[in-house]
Amino acid sequence: HSVTYDIDQKYKTPYHSRYLSFLKQAQEKNVIVAAAMTDPKGDRSKGPSAQDDPDLFTHVVERRPDGVVIRGAKAHQTGCVNSHWIVVMPTMRLQEADRDYAIVAAIPVTDKGLTFIYGRQSCDTRALENAGSDIDQGNAKYSGQEALIVIDDVFVPWDRVFMDGEVDFAAPLVDAFTTYHRRSYVCKTGVGDVLIGAAAAIAEMNGVAKASHVRDKLVEMAHLNETIYGAGIASSHESRPTRAGNFINDDVLANVCKHNVTRFPFKLARLAQDLAGGLVATLPSQHDFASDETGPILKRLLRGRSRNDTEARVRMLRLIENMTMGRNAVGYLTESLHGAGSPQAQRIQIERALKLEEKKGFAKTLAGVKE
Amino acid sequence: HSVTYDIDQKYKTPYHSRYLSFLKQAQEKNVIVAAAMTDPKGDRSKGPSAQDDPDLFTHVVERRPDGVVIRGAKAHQTGCVNSHWIVVMPTMRLQEADRDYAIVAAIPVTDKGLTFIYGRQSCDTRALENAGSDIDQGNAKYSGQEALIVIDDVFVPWDRVFMDGEVDFAAPLVDAFTTYHRRSYVCKTGVGDVLIGAAAAIAEMNGVAKASHVRDKLVEMAHLNETIYGAGIASSHESRPTRAGNFINDDVLANVCKHNVTRFPFKLARLAQDLAGGLVATLPSQHDFASDETGPILKRLLRGRSRNDTEARVRMLRLIENMTMGRNAVGYLTESLHGAGSPQAQRIQIERALKLEEKKGFAKTLAGVKE
Amino acid sequence: HSVTYDIDQKYKTPYHSRYLSFLKQAQEKNVIVAAAMTDPKGDRSKGPSAQDDPDLFTHVVERRPDGVVIRGAKAHQTGCVNSHWIVVMPTMRLQEADRDYAIVAAIPVTDKGLTFIYGRQSCDTRALENAGSDIDQGNAKYSGQEALIVIDDVFVPWDRVFMDGEVDFAAPLVDAFTTYHRRSYVCKTGVGDVLIGAAAAIAEMNGVAKASHVRDKLVEMAHLNETIYGAGIASSHESRPTRAGNFINDDVLANVCKHNVTRFPFKLARLAQDLAGGLVATLPSQHDFASDETGPILKRLLRGRSRNDTEARVRMLRLIENMTMGRNAVGYLTESLHGAGSPQAQRIQIERALKLEEKKGFAKTLAGVKE
Amino acid sequence: HSVTYDIDQKYKTPYHSRYLSFLKQAQEKNVIVAAAMTDPKGDRSKGPSAQDDPDLFTHVVERRPDGVVIRGAKAHQTGCVNSHWIVVMPTMRLQEADRDYAIVAAIPVTDKGLTFIYGRQSCDTRALENAGSDIDQGNAKYSGQEALIVIDDVFVPWDRVFMDGEVDFAAPLVDAFTTYHRRSYVCKTGVGDVLIGAAAAIAEMNGVAKASHVRDKLVEMAHLNETIYGAGIASSHESRPTRAGNFINDDVLANVCKHNVTRFPFKLARLAQDLAGGLVATLPSQHDFASDETGPILKRLLRGRSRNDTEARVRMLRLIENMTMGRNAVGYLTESLHGAGSPQAQRIQIERALKLEEKKGFAKTLAGVKE
């Protein structure tokens, strides 16, 4: 929104009205639009146009009277296979030589030129086991997935092109996008709430819910989870209007929020496994529980506090396995690390915003240092 | 505000209008009012009225037609000696037998019945050294202090009594007070900014400001500091109105804010000392720098990157010493731990607000556990 | 060794010579003997003989002239399916009423009365995919497994019984066993070395091996790993001879070693995933790399620094996935938490050995406190 | 020992026998010898001979038939004022141009050419208060101190010169010295034991010794303290003989030991202050306790669990203040950070010893990567 507005102000381009028109349609039809930013990148010491292979970053290969032809790829695209549209965007600051890489355009996921190559995930094939494996899947209702999107000469008409060649606006676009995106990682606190609930439930089933160390671990999990939440809410609270009229949240707090997301879910996962007990990693299959031969034995031996809760206990253990080592660990742990930028990306952004001269000034005033 | 309102609603008492009248005067005269809550407490396994010595908690010893007579003490009173008024309040949940301890009343600090016994602080006597010791003091402009206030039969007229005997409102008062107070500990991020500035300044004077590990440590300091800040801002953002019409901030986030304050300043202090170098603890006195005999030697030998910055470097090291081991460490470290409640007090409050049934419900839904 | 010796000393039993004879044979035949300690435990607030179901702890059901008949189960038995013998042992301190539960006996894994019910593991079925999935398995050479051993009326002749009814020696047995066992968790530092190597290798393939934050993360991984190692070595160094003549390592340092094992591998796993990049969780299957249709595209797009290292990079990412979320995460993370006792078990043992009176004495001497 | 031996082997010098002779005398007379290594260093981006001021590193200014004349300074010299001899040594790797800086020599502390300029410490002047302030000092028996030693043309006869100009042996000397020295920081665990004891004692006096969070914090303190201890013991256990016949401990574990010393005492200090309660920073002076006017009041109000323990409680709080903010905090916290090298110095050494090629080889073997 704000970047198309700013480009238009500088270059008298028509991007902002195109964007508003696309947005209006998307809202009317209630469609999901996936932001496709991350290019494969190849040799990370070189920029887009300096790579051996030009297609390691998405770029324009032809400009026609009615639109552009785009080639390249976007990696790590969470949720793209259940979206209606993707919007490709540059993934980094660009130089003059990278003009063809400064492209923002909306493409329907049904475009023939798009290929989605699905990523494997920990425990992915449990979802393909026969219908009776819903318990072993841990969470048979929800999961995520990532795909590599290959873009093979896709034509996009001008009314869906929102940047083309304005290399000086790649960095502002990336900055605005990551400011929103990093704050949005507060979503992991919802997953954290589930994991805290699972840890509390399994502790209860194990008959140890009242032990002081158990209660203390649940408090620690909540404290860390709410710490993430606080930075996210604060980032939104300190939003300010852009020139285009929309609001943008606070950059430092968005990075702080995301940076804590790269740290705390790993601590919550460890604490959840601690409260689960070793059975979280040694539990037999649900088919062994269902078997006439082994089922009765397992139900006797693997009961918790109450004789009747064996299945509930097994289900809760499988959920914790799923969230800490299985399919949802991909989203809760690895994506928490790398989504919207790896830890170092946040540190760079925090460093940029350190205002060290101001802070050194505070210290010098108090220390009585004159310059 | 809200508690006097709620008492009046239940007991038809006149506390709220008395409070508003006191507040109005305080604002008109621009006076500082110190909240005096913490009693000495004696044997912590017993409540106020069960102590061997009745004066270990502040209480009413006589009720007269024109007011009450109060006796007891308040400990750890930060800033009381530079306030105009103190308002005594109960420090904990009270029982029926503790009726005389349910007292809230405003007392001018000049009342003859008050005695202030000043606490010692690390490096307190540096402030008493001869006038030329401003550098060795580290921060010659600001410091804090704590005192024990002994209350020896102080008479308070009814118009300055805001609670007297309503034991059921002691707990709500403490809850509301700590909710505000714990969020207010976001103030330590201002001190944190000074310490980050001091660490950056000394790194520069040492000639190592560009070293990657130095830059990374400054980023970590800022990340931790802003994490505290985020929870504080978020707590205020999620305020809701009380029945009395004023707003109260979010309890969980206030506790999370304060709990991080009990942790992170110790990490910032360690990082600041790391960047300062060992000289922060081995530096000779400013009088040795001023001496004709040793001064020229010290100025030659203890210079940093530039030949002319020795005094500035010494001043900055003394500021860091002051904030991490000296007078201001009392406020930045110890008070961050214990002010507005020690760490365990926040954990108890976070545990009360865990909403475990709701969270277990989330987990059970996803795990397919039916009850 | 030492416990059979001590029982014999007290009760004139013949256990020690039986044990030595069994040990000699085991060494001569070079067999693997699995220590089977952990019972299913049922309701954790009750001891073995107080359970509703007597078989929740392993016990003697019949004594014959030529030996004993044993029934029960042992849970979480790492490596039992690739051992030749199991030796069952009590899992906790026993009371007089638990006499039948005080049984130590060696059973060959081929005994008809034993049933091994295999536990599922994260990504277990990848090992069952067609032969071409060696890359996707991450580590096609090694993995571990756990099983529940059901013991259904197994007869053991007297010469393989090493304790029968001496309940007062259950606690010393558990103490000696955990002292050895917790120190043995230093083995995880070998796994840690592999993970450090994998993280270094993938950083190099990604072209970022020289970045200061990458180097710093490798140092941190090594520092944590060697910290575990140090406590293990120290525990052995401070061994002392038992009355039986064998040596036993230091208890406190063994617990400290294991307790760090419950913490640091989770940190190493997070750092390894950080250095791996997001691809560790979004990488397509090796079959997509082998496919004529998608293979050439993937090899172009998912190359690292060099054009020719795509397969090596994929292999390294799969190894990191395997160790942090897949089959070997079970051993490196979950078993590090719970094997040889969950974190709280070590804290209890450390608390028992605190020697607080001695330490308080040191403090009182320095503070000038007289008693 | 080993370096003089190695120099002699290469250059046919007589250093080793001189050293042995000096050592023998030192042992016979039971004298304390301070190792004086750290030079002031000036501009840290330049080596000794490249400084503007040649005296920022200790060096030879004249060679006479009977010995050498030395000038310069040594900073941060812990314990030098209570030693009998100092031995100056180079502080870093030297270049050919630094020949005059490659000097190792023993100097009696009474040499007229030495000046000791004493450093200030947090709370240093409490030790100068009148004799009745022993309680306020926290630890009236022991403390440390640091001094800057100025070396102003000190003559040293040849029999006390152990290196002169062999620049290629400066780095081996520093390496050997830091390997011993960093391992020796295990001494801080003795201080840690005192602090654990003080924390346990004050918790008991406060009447909260049985609270689960209090017990857990003492366990955490001990766990951290013993973790340091483990690495130190292990470093010694893995010693190996040098060519000279003496033994040198393991370098990596020595650095790991010291690196944990830079981290954990700050955590122990925070936990000790947590258990102490806020009074550790707000306690009145012992003179207020002794005063006829305020003493009786303070003894009543600041009692702990028992009526008679007020003085003991005050003493214990002052000890904790002393160790976490006062004179002994200099040794327990700041010196733990910087003594024998600041944290980054250990990380550099750990990085040098990473054996990454070996570790990458492990990972490549398991991942099936062929080179």
Side-chain angles (χ1 to χ4, degrees):
Chain A
H1 189 102
S2 62
V3 175
T4 53
Y5 180 90
D6 289 345
I7 304 179
D8 288 2
Q9 290 293 310
K10 180 165 179 187
Y11 293 117
K12 310 299 169 199
T13 41
Y15 297 132
H16 194 58
S17 59
R18 285 183 194 167
Y19 159 78
L20 288 176
S21 164
F22 176 75
L23 177 67
K24 193 177 169 189
Q25 276 194 310
Q27 288 177 336
E28 280 172 2
K29 296 185 181 168
N30 194 25
V31 301
I32 304 290
V33 182
M37 181 171 263
T38 310
D39 292 290
K41 294 199 189 101
D43 182 340
R44 276 143 202 258
S45 63
K46 295 177 182 167
S49 56
Q51 299 286 330
D52 296 349
D53 181 337
D55 299 344
L56 289 166
F57 286 80
T58 300
H59 58 122
V60 175
V61 290
E62 187 187 348
R63 282 185 189 77
R64 300 183 190 162
D66 51 347
V68 295
V69 179
I70 296 173
R71 190 187 296 160
K74 292 292 178 180
H76 316 310
Q77 296 301 307
T78 307
C80 63
V81 302
N82 51 265
S83 300
H84 302 90
W85 289 85
I86 64 167
V87 173
V88 298
M89 297 180 289
T91 196
M92 64 194 298
R93 176 180 302 274
L94 297 177
Q95 308 298 327
E96 199 57 40
D98 304 320
R99 187 158 289 272
D100 290 339
Y101 294 85
I103 180 71
V104 177
I107 307 172
V109 295
T110 49
D111 194 291
K112 296 296 182 196
L114 295 185
T115 304
F116 296 83
I117 304 181
Y118 211 77
R120 291 209 69 166
Q121 293 187 320
S122 175
C123 296
D124 49 3
T125 46
R126 281 205 199 170
L128 302 176
E129 292 178 11
N130 68 58
S133 284
D134 62 309
I135 299 179
D136 283 358
Q137 289 175 42
N139 179 343
K141 298 190 185 176
Y142 302 104
S143 64
Q145 77 291 314
E146 266 88 22
L148 174 74
I149 307 178
V150 184
I151 304 168
D152 190 11
D153 290 359
V154 167
F155 172 74
V156 183
W158 289 119
D159 64 335
R160 288 193 269 108
V161 173
F162 310 124
M163 177 193 285
D164 177 25
E166 294 82 5
V167 290
D168 46 335
F169 283 92
L173 173 67
V174 171
D175 282 353
F177 182 78
T178 56
T179 297
Y180 289 120
H181 197 193
R182 288 178 189 169
R183 185 258 176 251
S184 79
Y185 269 72
V186 82
C187 69
K188 300 296 181 191
T189 59
V191 188
D193 277 344
V194 174
L195 194 60
I196 294 167
I202 196 67
E204 196 172 66
M205 291 167 181
N206 289 345
V208 295
K210 289 193 165 49
S212 62
H213 77 94
V214 170
R215 291 167 53 197
D216 197 62
K217 284 164 186 168
L218 291 172
V219 168
E220 184 65 17
M221 291 175 83
H223 171 67
L224 296 173
N225 207 41
E226 298 295 333
T227 295
I228 295 172
Y229 180 72
I233 295 297
S235 176
S236 293
H237 178 77
E238 302 208 352
S239 293
R240 57 178 202 288
T242 68
R243 281 177 297 273
N246 62 329
F247 275 69
I248 188 155
N249 55 304
D250 185 74
D251 174 46
V252 172
L253 288 165
N255 277 281
V256 164
C257 174
K258 172 68 209 331
H259 203 52
N260 284 329
V261 169
T262 72
R263 296 179 170 186
F264 296 163
F266 283 83
K267 299 192 179 196
L268 272 89
R270 176 183 173 275
L271 289 168
Q273 285 200 3
D274 182 354
L275 295 180
L279 205 53
V280 73
T282 69
L283 194 65
S285 165
Q286 72 178 96
H287 300 292
D288 291 323
F289 280 90
S291 143
D292 287 345
E293 194 173 359
T294 53
I297 299 169
L298 289 175
K299 283 170 198 158
R300 267 180 72 199
L301 295 176
L302 298 184
R303 52 171 284 194
R305 195 183 46 162
S306 127
R307 193 175 295 190
N308 303 315
D309 68 355
T310 308
E311 184 186 316
R313 195 174 173 226
V314 168
R315 285 184 176 273
M316 203 51 72
L317 289 165
R318 285 287 171 223
L319 175 63
I320 295 173
E321 182 199 30
N322 174 289
M323 294 179 73
T324 60
M325 289 187 287
R327 285 195 83 187
N328 282 303
V330 169
Y332 188 54
L333 300 179
T334 318
E335 193 213 322
S336 288
L337 260 181
H338 292 291
S342 301
Q344 191 62 12
Q346 289 111 51
R347 295 182 86 79
I348 290 169
Q349 207 65 18
I350 293 170
E351 186 175 30
R352 278 186 194 143
L354 272 178
K355 296 187 185 167
L356 276 190
E357 289 313 310
E358 185 186 62
K359 289 187 174 75
K360 286 191 282 189
F362 297 156
K364 286 176 181 173
T365 299
L366 293 183
V369 174
K370 278 140 205 129
E371 305 216 59
Chain B
H1 189 101
S2 63
V3 175
T4 53
Y5 180 91
D6 289 345
I7 304 178
D8 288 2
Q9 291 292 311
K10 180 164 178 187
Y11 293 117
K12 309 300 169 197
T13 41
Y15 297 132
H16 195 58
S17 60
R18 285 182 193 169
Y19 159 78
L20 288 177
S21 164
F22 177 75
L23 177 67
K24 194 176 169 190
Q25 277 193 311
Q27 289 177 335
E28 280 172 2
K29 296 184 180 168
N30 194 25
V31 301
I32 305 290
V33 182
M37 180 171 263
T38 310
D39 293 290
K41 293 198 190 104
D43 182 340
R44 276 143 203 257
S45 63
K46 295 177 182 165
S49 56
Q51 299 285 330
D52 296 348
D53 182 338
D55 299 344
L56 289 166
F57 286 80
T58 300
H59 59 122
V60 174
V61 290
E62 186 187 349
R63 282 185 189 78
R64 299 182 190 163
D66 51 346
V68 296
V69 178
I70 296 173
R71 189 187 298 160
K74 292 292 179 180
H76 316 309
Q77 296 301 307
T78 308
C80 63
V81 303
N82 52 266
S83 300
H84 302 89
W85 289 85
I86 64 166
V87 174
V88 297
M89 296 181 290
T91 196
M92 63 193 299
R93 176 180 302 274
L94 297 176
Q95 308 298 326
E96 199 56 40
D98 303 320
R99 186 157 289 272
D100 289 340
Y101 294 85
I103 179 72
V104 177
I107 306 172
V109 295
T110 50
D111 193 293
K112 297 294 181 196
L114 296 184
T115 304
F116 297 83
I117 305 181
Y118 211 77
R120 291 210 69 166
Q121 293 186 320
S122 175
C123 297
D124 48 4
T125 46
R126 281 205 200 169
L128 303 176
E129 292 177 11
N130 68 59
S133 283
D134 62 308
I135 297 179
D136 283 358
Q137 289 176 40
N139 180 343
K141 298 189 185 175
Y142 302 104
S143 65
Q145 77 291 314
E146 266 89 21
L148 174 74
I149 308 178
V150 184
I151 304 168
D152 191 11
D153 290 359
V154 167
F155 172 75
V156 182
W158 289 119
D159 63 333
R160 288 193 268 109
V161 173
F162 310 125
M163 177 192 285
D164 178 25
E166 294 82 5
V167 290
D168 47 333
F169 283 92
L173 173 67
V174 172
D175 282 353
F177 182 79
T178 56
T179 297
Y180 289 121
H181 197 193
R182 289 179 188 168
R183 184 258 176 250
S184 80
Y185 269 72
V186 81
C187 69
K188 300 296 181 191
T189 59
V191 188
D193 277 345
V194 175
L195 193 59
I196 295 167
I202 196 68
E204 196 172 67
M205 291 167 180
N206 289 346
V208 296
K210 290 193 164 51
S212 62
H213 77 96
V214 170
R215 290 167 54 197
D216 196 62
K217 284 163 186 168
L218 292 172
V219 167
E220 184 63 17
M221 292 175 82
H223 170 67
L224 295 173
N225 207 40
E226 299 295 333
T227 294
I228 295 172
Y229 180 72
I233 295 297
S235 176
S236 293
H237 178 78
E238 302 207 352
S239 293
R240 58 178 201 288
T242 69
R243 282 176 297 273
N246 62 328
F247 275 69
I248 187 155
N249 54 304
D250 185 74
D251 174 47
V252 172
L253 289 165
N255 277 282
V256 164
C257 174
K258 173 68 209 330
H259 204 52
N260 284 329
V261 169
T262 72
R263 297 179 169 185
F264 297 162
F266 284 82
K267 298 191 178 195
L268 272 89
R270 176 182 173 275
L271 289 168
Q273 285 200 4
D274 182 353
L275 295 180
L279 205 53
V280 72
T282 69
L283 195 64
S285 165
Q286 72 178 96
H287 301 292
D288 290 324
F289 280 90
S291 142
D292 288 344
E293 193 174 358
T294 53
I297 299 169
L298 290 175
K299 283 171 198 157
R300 268 179 71 199
L301 295 176
L302 298 184
R303 52 171 283 195
R305 195 182 47 161
S306 128
R307 192 175 295 190
N308 304 315
D309 68 356
T310 309
E311 184 186 315
R313 195 173 172 229
V314 167
R315 285 183 176 274
M316 203 51 74
L317 288 165
R318 285 286 171 222
L319 175 63
I320 295 173
E321 182 198 30
N322 174 289
M323 294 179 73
T324 61
M325 290 187 286
R327 284 195 82 188
N328 283 302
V330 169
Y332 188 54
L333 300 179
T334 318
E335 194 213 322
S336 288
L337 260 181
H338 292 291
S342 302
Q344 191 61 12
Q346 289 110 53
R347 295 182 87 78
I348 289 169
Q349 207 65 20
I350 293 170
E351 187 175 30
R352 278 187 195 144
L354 272 177
K355 295 187 186 168
L356 276 190
E357 290 313 310
E358 185 186 62
K359 288 186 173 76
K360 285 192 282 189
F362 298 155
K364 286 176 181 173
T365 298
L366 293 183
V369 173
K370 277 139 206 129
E371 305 217 59
Chain C
H1 188 101
S2 62
V3 176
T4 53
Y5 180 90
D6 288 344
I7 303 178
D8 288 1
Q9 290 294 309
K10 180 164 179 187
Y11 292 116
K12 309 298 170 202
T13 41
Y15 297 133
H16 193 58
S17 60
R18 285 184 195 167
Y19 158 78
L20 288 176
S21 165
F22 176 76
L23 177 68
K24 194 176 171 191
Q25 278 194 308
Q27 288 176 336
E28 281 172 3
K29 298 185 180 168
N30 195 24
V31 300
I32 304 291
V33 182
M37 180 171 264
T38 310
D39 292 290
K41 295 200 188 101
D43 181 340
R44 277 146 201 254
S45 62
K46 297 177 180 166
S49 57
Q51 298 285 330
D52 296 348
D53 182 337
D55 299 345
L56 289 166
F57 286 80
T58 300
H59 59 121
V60 174
V61 290
E62 187 186 348
R63 284 187 187 75
R64 299 184 190 160
D66 51 348
V68 295
V69 179
I70 295 173
R71 189 187 298 160
K74 292 291 180 181
H76 317 309
Q77 294 303 306
T78 307
C80 62
V81 303
N82 51 265
S83 301
H84 301 90
W85 289 85
I86 64 168
V87 174
V88 297
M89 296 181 289
T91 196
M92 62 195 297
R93 175 180 302 272
L94 297 177
Q95 307 298 327
E96 199 55 42
D98 303 320
R99 186 157 289 271
D100 290 339
Y101 294 85
I103 179 71
V104 177
I107 307 171
V109 294
T110 49
D111 192 293
K112 297 295 182 197
L114 295 185
T115 305
F116 297 84
I117 305 181
Y118 211 77
R120 292 211 68 168
Q121 293 186 321
S122 176
C123 295
D124 48 4
T125 46
R126 281 204 199 170
L128 302 177
E129 292 177 12
N130 69 59
S133 284
D134 63 308
I135 299 179
D136 283 357
Q137 289 175 42
N139 179 342
K141 299 191 186 177
Y142 302 104
S143 63
Q145 77 292 316
E146 266 89 21
L148 174 76
I149 308 178
V150 184
I151 305 167
D152 190 11
D153 290 0
V154 167
F155 172 76
V156 182
W158 289 118
D159 65 335
R160 289 193 267 108
V161 173
F162 310 124
M163 176 192 288
D164 177 25
E166 293 82 6
V167 291
D168 47 334
F169 283 92
L173 173 66
V174 172
D175 282 353
F177 182 78
T178 56
T179 297
Y180 288 122
H181 197 194
R182 288 180 188 168
R183 185 259 177 250
S184 80
Y185 269 73
V186 83
C187 68
K188 300 295 180 191
T189 60
V191 188
D193 277 345
V194 175
L195 194 60
I196 295 167
I202 195 69
E204 196 172 68
M205 292 167 181
N206 289 344
V208 295
K210 290 192 164 52
S212 62
H213 77 95
V214 170
R215 292 166 53 197
D216 196 62
K217 284 164 185 168
L218 292 171
V219 168
E220 184 64 20
M221 291 175 83
H223 171 66
L224 296 173
N225 206 42
E226 298 296 333
T227 295
I228 294 172
Y229 180 73
I233 296 297
S235 176
S236 293
H237 177 77
E238 302 209 351
S239 293
R240 55 175 204 288
T242 69
R243 282 175 297 272
N246 62 330
F247 275 69
I248 186 155
N249 55 303
D250 184 74
D251 174 45
V252 172
L253 288 166
N255 277 282
V256 164
C257 174
K258 172 68 207 334
H259 203 52
N260 284 329
V261 169
T262 72
R263 296 179 170 184
F264 296 163
F266 284 82
K267 297 189 181 200
L268 273 89
R270 176 182 171 275
L271 289 168
Q273 286 201 3
D274 182 354
L275 295 180
L279 206 53
V280 72
T282 69
L283 195 64
S285 165
Q286 71 177 97
H287 301 292
D288 291 322
F289 280 90
S291 144
D292 288 345
E293 194 174 359
T294 53
I297 300 170
L298 290 174
K299 282 170 198 158
R300 267 179 74 197
L301 295 177
L302 298 184
R303 53 172 282 194
R305 196 181 47 163
S306 125
R307 195 174 295 189
N308 304 316
D309 67 357
T310 309
E311 184 185 316
R313 194 173 174 228
V314 167
R315 285 183 176 276
M316 204 49 75
L317 288 166
R318 286 285 171 224
L319 175 63
I320 295 173
E321 181 199 32
N322 175 288
M323 294 179 74
T324 59
M325 289 187 287
R327 284 196 82 187
N328 283 303
V330 169
Y332 188 53
L333 300 179
T334 318
E335 194 212 323
S336 288
L337 260 182
H338 292 292
S342 302
Q344 191 61 14
Q346 289 111 52
R347 295 182 86 80
I348 290 169
Q349 208 64 20
I350 293 170
E351 187 175 29
R352 277 188 194 143
L354 272 177
K355 295 187 187 167
L356 277 190
E357 290 313 311
E358 185 185 61
K359 289 186 174 75
K360 286 190 283 188
F362 298 155
K364 286 176 180 171
T365 300
L366 294 183
V369 173
K370 278 139 204 128
E371 306 215 59
Chain D
H1 188 103
S2 62
V3 175
T4 53
Y5 180 90
D6 289 344
I7 302 177
D8 288 1
Q9 290 294 310
K10 181 163 178 187
Y11 292 117
K12 309 299 169 201
T13 42
Y15 297 132
H16 193 59
S17 59
R18 285 183 195 167
Y19 158 79
L20 288 176
S21 165
F22 177 75
L23 176 68
K24 194 176 170 189
Q25 277 193 310
Q27 288 176 337
E28 281 172 3
K29 297 184 179 169
N30 194 25
V31 301
I32 304 290
V33 182
M37 180 170 264
T38 310
D39 292 290
K41 294 200 188 102
D43 181 341
R44 276 143 204 256
S45 62
K46 296 176 181 166
S49 58
Q51 299 286 329
D52 296 349
D53 181 338
D55 299 345
L56 289 166
F57 287 80
T58 300
H59 58 123
V60 174
V61 291
E62 186 186 348
R63 284 186 187 75
R64 300 184 189 159
D66 51 347
V68 295
V69 179
I70 295 173
R71 189 187 299 161
K74 292 290 180 181
H76 317 307
Q77 295 302 306
T78 307
C80 62
V81 303
N82 52 264
S83 299
H84 302 89
W85 288 85
I86 64 168
V87 174
V88 298
M89 297 180 289
T91 196
M92 62 194 297
R93 176 180 301 274
L94 297 177
Q95 307 298 328
E96 199 55 41
D98 304 319
R99 186 157 290 273
D100 290 339
Y101 294 85
I103 178 71
V104 176
I107 307 171
V109 295
T110 49
D111 193 291
K112 298 294 182 197
L114 295 185
T115 305
F116 297 83
I117 305 181
Y118 211 77
R120 292 210 69 168
Q121 292 186 321
S122 176
C123 296
D124 48 4
T125 46
R126 280 203 201 171
L128 302 176
E129 292 177 11
N130 68 59
S133 285
D134 62 309
I135 298 179
D136 283 357
Q137 289 175 41
N139 180 342
K141 299 190 185 176
Y142 302 104
S143 64
Q145 77 291 313
E146 266 89 20
L148 174 75
I149 308 178
V150 184
I151 304 167
D152 190 11
D153 289 358
V154 166
F155 172 76
V156 183
W158 289 119
D159 65 334
R160 289 193 267 109
V161 173
F162 311 124
M163 176 192 288
D164 177 25
E166 294 82 6
V167 290
D168 46 335
F169 283 92
L173 173 67
V174 172
D175 282 352
F177 182 78
T178 56
T179 297
Y180 288 121
H181 197 194
R182 289 180 188 168
R183 184 259 177 252
S184 80
Y185 269 72
V186 83
C187 69
K188 300 295 179 189
T189 59
V191 188
D193 277 345
V194 175
L195 193 59
I196 294 167
I202 196 68
E204 196 171 67
M205 291 166 180
N206 289 344
V208 296
K210 290 193 163 52
S212 62
H213 77 95
V214 170
R215 292 166 53 198
D216 197 63
K217 284 164 186 168
L218 291 171
V219 168
E220 184 64 19
M221 291 175 83
H223 170 67
L224 295 173
N225 207 41
E226 298 296 332
T227 295
I228 294 171
Y229 180 72
I233 295 298
S235 176
S236 293
H237 178 77
E238 302 208 352
S239 292
R240 55 177 205 287
T242 69
R243 283 175 296 273
N246 62 330
F247 275 69
I248 187 154
N249 54 304
D250 184 74
D251 174 45
V252 172
L253 288 165
N255 277 282
V256 164
C257 175
K258 173 67 209 332
H259 204 51
N260 284 329
V261 169
T262 71
R263 295 179 170 184
F264 296 164
F266 284 83
K267 297 190 180 199
L268 273 89
R270 177 184 172 274
L271 289 168
Q273 286 201 3
D274 183 353
L275 295 180
L279 206 53
V280 72
T282 69
L283 195 63
S285 165
Q286 71 178 99
H287 301 292
D288 291 322
F289 280 89
S291 144
D292 288 344
E293 194 174 358
T294 53
I297 300 170
L298 290 175
K299 282 170 198 157
R300 267 180 73 199
L301 295 178
L302 298 184
R303 53 171 282 195
R305 196 181 46 162
S306 126
R307 195 175 294 190
N308 304 316
D309 67 357
T310 309
E311 185 186 315
R313 194 173 174 227
V314 167
R315 284 183 177 275
M316 204 50 74
L317 288 166
R318 286 286 171 226
L319 176 63
I320 295 173
E321 181 199 31
N322 175 288
M323 295 178 73
T324 60
M325 290 187 287
R327 283 195 83 187
N328 282 304
V330 169
Y332 188 53
L333 300 179
T334 318
E335 194 213 323
S336 288
L337 261 181
H338 291 292
S342 302
Q344 191 61 13
Q346 290 110 51
R347 296 182 84 80
I348 289 168
Q349 208 64 21
I350 293 170
E351 187 175 30
R352 277 187 194 143
L354 271 177
K355 296 187 187 168
L356 276 190
E357 289 313 310
E358 184 185 61
K359 289 186 175 75
K360 285 191 283 188
F362 298 155
K364 286 176 181 172
T365 299
L366 294 184
V369 173
K370 278 139 205 131
E371 306 215 60

